[in-house]
C-alpha cells in the first residue's frame, strides 16, 4: 500500500479534551439489524448509544427484500442448512460458526414474532398460527429447499427494521443518535490496543467524542465502491476504513458478492429484483428469448449467485447487450403483485407489467463478505472493539454468502456481541478520552471530490468486479495509490470528503486482496487463474503497517495461523 494510505491514524486533527465528550457504557455504530440487535442485548446490562449515519430507512437491512434463512420447516434440518452454507462458501466457511448461526435461527424467528413481527404465512396456513407451522417459505439460489421467511411479500428488511426499531425506542437504556457520522475509533496505544470510543460529527452538534467502555462496529458494507450497486448511498465502507486505521485485522476483502438481478432501466436506481423471484420459477432469458442458465449449471436459475452473475455476463457478451431479462410471465400480473408488491409498484412506475413483459436485469455489487475479523463472541484484535453484521468477518460466509443468511447472521451475532460487551463493564466508569491527533494541513489545491469518487467507482466496477485479472488489478492498485496521494493528504470538514477518503482506503484493500488471491473461489473470479488453488484455501488478514497479508485457516480462531508467501 502507498504510505499515504497507511500513515493517517485519524482523518482529522483534534484534541479530545477540547471537544464535547459524551459518556456511555456501550457505543454501537450502525442502526441495521446487527447494530440494533446488539444494542438490545447490551441494554440488558448497560447504557447504550447507537450512532446511525442516516436514519433506519438508509440501512441495507431496511432495503433487504428476500428474507431470513432459517431451518424452521418440518422437512428441513440444521444439517441441510449447514451443508448448503458450506457448499456456497467454497471451502472457506468456519463450520463451527456456521452451525452456531444455523442452530440459533428458529429462536431468532420466535423472538421476532414475540416482538410483533408478522411473517407471511402460506395460503393454506391459519392466520396467527403457531410460529413455524404455516410459514410461507421462499427459495433462493444455493438452498436445497424452500427456507426463506419473508414479510410483507418483498419488504422483509423494512418490517424487520421497524420491529427492531420499536424495541430499541421502547428501551430507556438506549439512545439513538441519527445523522451521526462516525469518523474514527478512538484508541489508546498498548499491547493490545484499547478502544475507548469514537469521534463523531453531527450537522447540528459538530464534532464530539463518545466515550465508551465497549464499542460495537455494525456499520455495514461498502457496495458504493462500485458504480453498479444494490446498496444504499450510506454504504461507503466507513466502518471498515476506521477499523483499519485503528489497527484492526480485516479479513477476506476480495470477496465482494455480486447480485445477479438488479433492475436495468436507464434512470432507475439499481433496485434489487430479489432472488426469490427466481425461487418462484422465473427464468433468465437473453435478448433472443433464449433461456440460458441450464447451459451453465444443473441448478439453472437457482445456482449459487456467483455462477448466475458470471453466466449473465457471458450471455451478455455472446449476444452483445448490456442486460438480460427475468421472465416472470408464468406468474401473471396478479400473482406477481401479491407475492412481490413493492417490486410490482416499482415496475409499474416504469410501465413494465411483469405478467406481460420480461424485466431487464443486470448484476450489481451487493454484499461485502470480508470485514473486521472476529472470534466466536464478536471480539476483534482490539480490546473493547467488537464487530457484527456486514462490517464483520465471522467465517460464516466463507468465499460466497448463501442467500438470506446475512439477516440471520445479524440477529445471531448482534445478540452474542451485545452480551459479550458485558465483560468490559468490570473496569470502572468510562474515563474521558485524552487523545490528540496532530495532522499538518496540506497546502494543495481544492479537489473535485465527485470526480475522484466516480473514477474510483467506475474502475472498481470494470476491473475489480465480477471478473478480474492480475495485470489489470495491478494497474487499478496503482491508480488508487495515485488518487490517494492527493486526496488522503487533505483535511476535510464534511462527510463527502471523509467518505471519499474511506472509499479510497477500502477500495485499495479490496484490490490488493483480489490481486493477492491468485485463484478463483466463490465470488472472486480471476480470468488469469480460473480454478481454486488449495494453497489459497486460507483467510487473508490485512492490518495497518503490514505490507503483505498474513493468513489463517480459521477466522474465529480454531486452528493455527499459517504464513503464506505470495
Ligand atoms: C435477495 O433478495 O435476492 C437478496 C437476499 C440476500 O442478499 O441475502
Amino acid at each position: 500500500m502507498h504510505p499515504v494510505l497507511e500513515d493517517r491514524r485519524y482523518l482529522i486533527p483534534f484534541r479530545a479534551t477540547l471537544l464535547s465528550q459524551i459518556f456511555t457504557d456501550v457505543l454501537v455504530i450502525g442502526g441495521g439489524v446487527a447494530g440494533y440487535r446488539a444494542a438490545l442485548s447490551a441494554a440488558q446490562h448497560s447504557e447504550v448509544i447507537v450512532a446511525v449515519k442516516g436514519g433506519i430507512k438508509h440501512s441495507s437491512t431496511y432495503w433487504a427484500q428476500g428474507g431470513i434463512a432459517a431451518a424452521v420447516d418440518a422437512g428441513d434440518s440444521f444439517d441441510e442448512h449447514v451443508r448448503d452454507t458450506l457448499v456456497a462458501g467454497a471451502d472457506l466457511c468456519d463450520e463451527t460458526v456456521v452451525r452456531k448461526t444455523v442452530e440459533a435461527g428458529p429462536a431468532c424467528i420466535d423472538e421476532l414474532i414475540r416482538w410483533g413481527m408478522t411473517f407471511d404465512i402460506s395460503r393454506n396456513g391459519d392466520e396467527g398460527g403457531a410460529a413455524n407451522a404455516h410459514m410461507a417459505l421462499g427459495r433462493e439460489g444455493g438452498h436445497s429447499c424452500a427456507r426463506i421467511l419473508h414479510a410483507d411479500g418483498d419488504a422483509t428488511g423494512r418490517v424487520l427494521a421497524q420491529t427492531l426499531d420499536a424495541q430499541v425506542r421502547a428501551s430507556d437504556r438506549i439512545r439513538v443518535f441519527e445523522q451521526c457520522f462516525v469518523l474514527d475509533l478512538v484508541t489508546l496505544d498498548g499491547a493490545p490496543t484499547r478502544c475507548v470510543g469514537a469521534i463523531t460529527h453531527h450537522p447540528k452538534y459538530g464534532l464530539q467524542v463518545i466515550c465508551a467502555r465497549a464499542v460495537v462496529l455494525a456499520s455495514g458494507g461498502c457496495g458504493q465502491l462500485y458504480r453498479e450497486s444494490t446498496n444504499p448511498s450510506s454504504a461507503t465502507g466507513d466502518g471498515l476504513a476506521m477499523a483499519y486505521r485503528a489497527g484492526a485485522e480485516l479479513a477476506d476483502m476480495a470477496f465482494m458478492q455480486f447480485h445477479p438481478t438488479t433492475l436495468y432501466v436507464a434512470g432507475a436506481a439499481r433496485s434489487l429484483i430479489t432472488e426469490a423471484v427466481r425461487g418462484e420459477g422465473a427464468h433468465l432469458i437473453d435478448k433472443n428469448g433464449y433461456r440460458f442458465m441450464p447451459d451453465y449449471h444443473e441448478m439453472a436459475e437457482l445456482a449459487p449467485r456467483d455462477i448466475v452473475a458470471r453466466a449473465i455476463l457471458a450471455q451478455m457478451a455472446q449476444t452483445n447487450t448490456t442486460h438480460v431479462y427475468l421472465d416472470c410471465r408464468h406468474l401473471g400480473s396478479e400473482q406477481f403483485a401479491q407475492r412481490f408488491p413493492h417490486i410490482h409498484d416499482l415496475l409499474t412506475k416504469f410501465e413494465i407489467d411483469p405478467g406481460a413483459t420480461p424485466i431487464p436485469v443486470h448484476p450489481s455489487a451487493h454484499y461485502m463478505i470480508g470485514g473486521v475479523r472476529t472470534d466466536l463472541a464478536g471480539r476483534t484484535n482490539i480490546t473493547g472493539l467488537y464487530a457484527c453484521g456486514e462490517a464483520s468477518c465471522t467465517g460464516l460466509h466463507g468465499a460466497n454468502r448463501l442467500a438470506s443468511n446475512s439477516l440471520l447472521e445479524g440477529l445471531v451475532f448482534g445478540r452474542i456481541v451485545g452480551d459479550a460487551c458485558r465483560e468490559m463493564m468490570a473496569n470502572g466508569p468510562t474515563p474521558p478520552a485524552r487523545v490528540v491527533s496532530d495532522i499538518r494541513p496540506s497546502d494543495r489545491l481544492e479537489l473535485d471530490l465527485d470526480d475522484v469518487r466516480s473514477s474510483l467507482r467506475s474502475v472498481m466496477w470494470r476491473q475489480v468486479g465480477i471478473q478480474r485479472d492480475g495485470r489489470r488489478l495491478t494497474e487499478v492498485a496503482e491508480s488508487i495509490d495515485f488518487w490517494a496521494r492527493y486526496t488522503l493528504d487533505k483535511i476535510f470538514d464534511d462527510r463527502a470528503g471523509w467518505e471519499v477518503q474511506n472509499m479510497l482506503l477500502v477500495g485499495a484493500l479490496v484490490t490488493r486482496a483480489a490481486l493477492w488471491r491468485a485463484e478463483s473461489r466463490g465470488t472472486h473470479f480471476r480470468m488469469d487463474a480460473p480454478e481454486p488453488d488449495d494453497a489459497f484455501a486460507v483467510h487473508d488478514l490485512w492490518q495497518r503497517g503490514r505490507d503483505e497479508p498474513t493468513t489463517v485457516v480459521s477466522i474465529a480462531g480454531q486452528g493455527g495461523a499459517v504464513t503464506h508467501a505470495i
Side-chain angles (χ1 to χ4, degrees), residues 392-407:
S392 70
C393 182
T394 60
L396 169 66
H397 306 306
N400 193 9
R401 180 181 62 96
L402 186 66
S404 288
N405 263 358
S406 44
L407 293 180

Side-chain angles (χ1 to χ4, degrees), residues 303-332:
R305 56 178 65 156
D306 59 307
I307 290 164
V308 182
R310 280 201 302 279
I312 290 175
L313 279 200
Q315 204 66 19
M316 278 162 43
Q318 244 180 59
T319 53
N320 199 19
T321 46
T322 53
H323 57 279
V324 294
Y325 297 89
L326 198 52
D327 187 354
C328 317
R329 285 175 292 187
H330 70 289
L331 282 175

Side-chain angles (χ1 to χ4, degrees), residues 438-486:
D438 269 326
I439 306 171
R440 288 226 310 271
S442 134
D443 51 6
R444 296 196 202 214
L445 293 175
E446 285 288 297
L447 268 186
D448 182 347
L449 270 180
D450 287 345
D451 196 39
V452 178
R453 188 180 175 119
S454 66
S455 301
L456 175 69
R457 298 181 75 216
S458 188
V459 80
M460 291 294 292
W461 176 247
R462 283 186 283 108
Q463 312 292 10
V464 197
I466 299 169
Q467 304 197 113
R468 301 160 173 183
D469 167 82
R471 197 172 54 80
R472 293 287 167 80
L473 289 168
T474 306
E475 287 166 10
V476 176
E478 285 165 4
S479 297
I480 296 178
D481 284 357
F482 176 61
W483 298 329
R485 287 215 296 271
Y486 55 83

Side-chain angles (χ1 to χ4, degrees), residues 4-310:
V4 76
L5 286 156
E6 291 281 310
D7 285 353
R8 187 78 69 90
R9 165 62 189 90
Y10 293 100
L11 284 178
I12 55 164
F14 66 92
R15 265 173 194 273
T17 48
L18 299 182
L19 295 173
S20 85
Q21 301 207 1
I22 297 168
F23 295 85
T24 186
D25 299 323
V26 179
L27 168 64
V28 176
I29 302 172
V33 55
Y36 267 3
R37 187 63 193 81
L40 289 166
S41 283
Q44 298 300 312
H45 54 78
S46 297
E47 297 288 328
V48 183
I49 289 176
V50 185
V52 184
K53 185 174 176 182
I56 63 158
K57 291 191 179 168
H58 304 107
S59 72
S60 295
T61 296
Y62 194 91
W63 286 31
Q65 293 179 357
I68 307 174
V72 296
D73 190 61
D76 197 359
S77 69
F78 292 146
D79 285 345
E80 286 287 290
H81 191 176
V82 167
R83 195 181 58 85
D84 291 346
T85 304
L86 295 178
V87 169
D91 290 333
L92 221 52
C93 299
D94 275 22
E95 189 165 347
T96 317
V97 177
V98 175
R99 192 159 284 283
K100 187 177 171 108
T101 309
V102 162
E103 290 183 356
C108 289
I109 301 299
D110 286 346
E111 180 178 70
L112 291 171
I113 292 169
R114 279 200 308 282
W115 287 344
M117 181 160 172
T118 308
F119 287 95
D120 296 336
I121 54 166
S122 68
R123 292 227 184 91
N124 304 328
D126 299 330
E127 198 78 49
N132 306 334
H134 306 295
M135 291 294 180
L137 298 172
R139 184 152 179 213
E140 293 180 4
H143 288 274
S144 53
C145 64
R147 174 183 292 141
I148 319 298
L149 291 105
H150 45 87
D152 195 9
D154 49 5
T156 311
R158 177 174 56 72
V159 179
L160 173 62
Q162 287 166 342
T163 303
L164 293 173
D165 192 52
Q167 292 298 310
V168 163
R169 307 282 170 171
S171 166
D172 56 8
R173 303 188 86 183
I174 305 176
R175 283 176 293 160
V176 179
F177 292 2
E178 290 187 356
Q179 307 303 330
C180 181
F181 186 91
V182 180
L183 284 90
D184 268 306
L185 301 166
V186 175
T187 53
L188 303 179
D189 291 339
T193 306
R194 165 88 201 270
C195 185
V196 293
I199 177 157
T200 63
H201 181 266
H202 187 279
K204 193 156 148 204
Y205 308 114
L207 292 173
Q208 295 180 313
V209 179
I210 303 181
C211 303
R213 286 187 275 176
V215 176
V216 177
L217 193 65
S219 48
C222 56
Q224 285 297 325
L225 283 180
Y226 290 84
R227 192 186 69 209
E228 308 289 334
S229 169
T230 63
N231 289 190
S233 59
S234 57
T236 50
D238 309 313
L240 300 171
M242 73 179 84
Y244 185 80
R245 284 192 293 273
E249 291 173 325
L250 267 58
D252 294 344
M253 293 296 287
F255 297 120
M256 167 59 76
Q257 185 174 65
F258 297 88
H259 196 288
T261 55
T262 46
L263 180 61
Y264 194 72
V265 174
R270 294 288 175 260
S271 308
L272 190 69
I273 306 290
T274 175
E275 201 154 299
V277 174
R278 277 174 280 136
E280 295 288 338
H283 292 164
L284 282 162
I285 56 174
D286 66 16
K287 72 170 184 195
N288 304 315
Y290 177 67
R291 182 185 173 206
F292 54 88
M293 270 318 297
D295 297 350
Y296 291 90
H297 196 273
E298 67 205 14
M299 289 175 85
E301 281 80 4
L302 289 178
R305 56 178 65 156
D306 59 307
I307 290 164
V308 182
R310 280 201 302 279

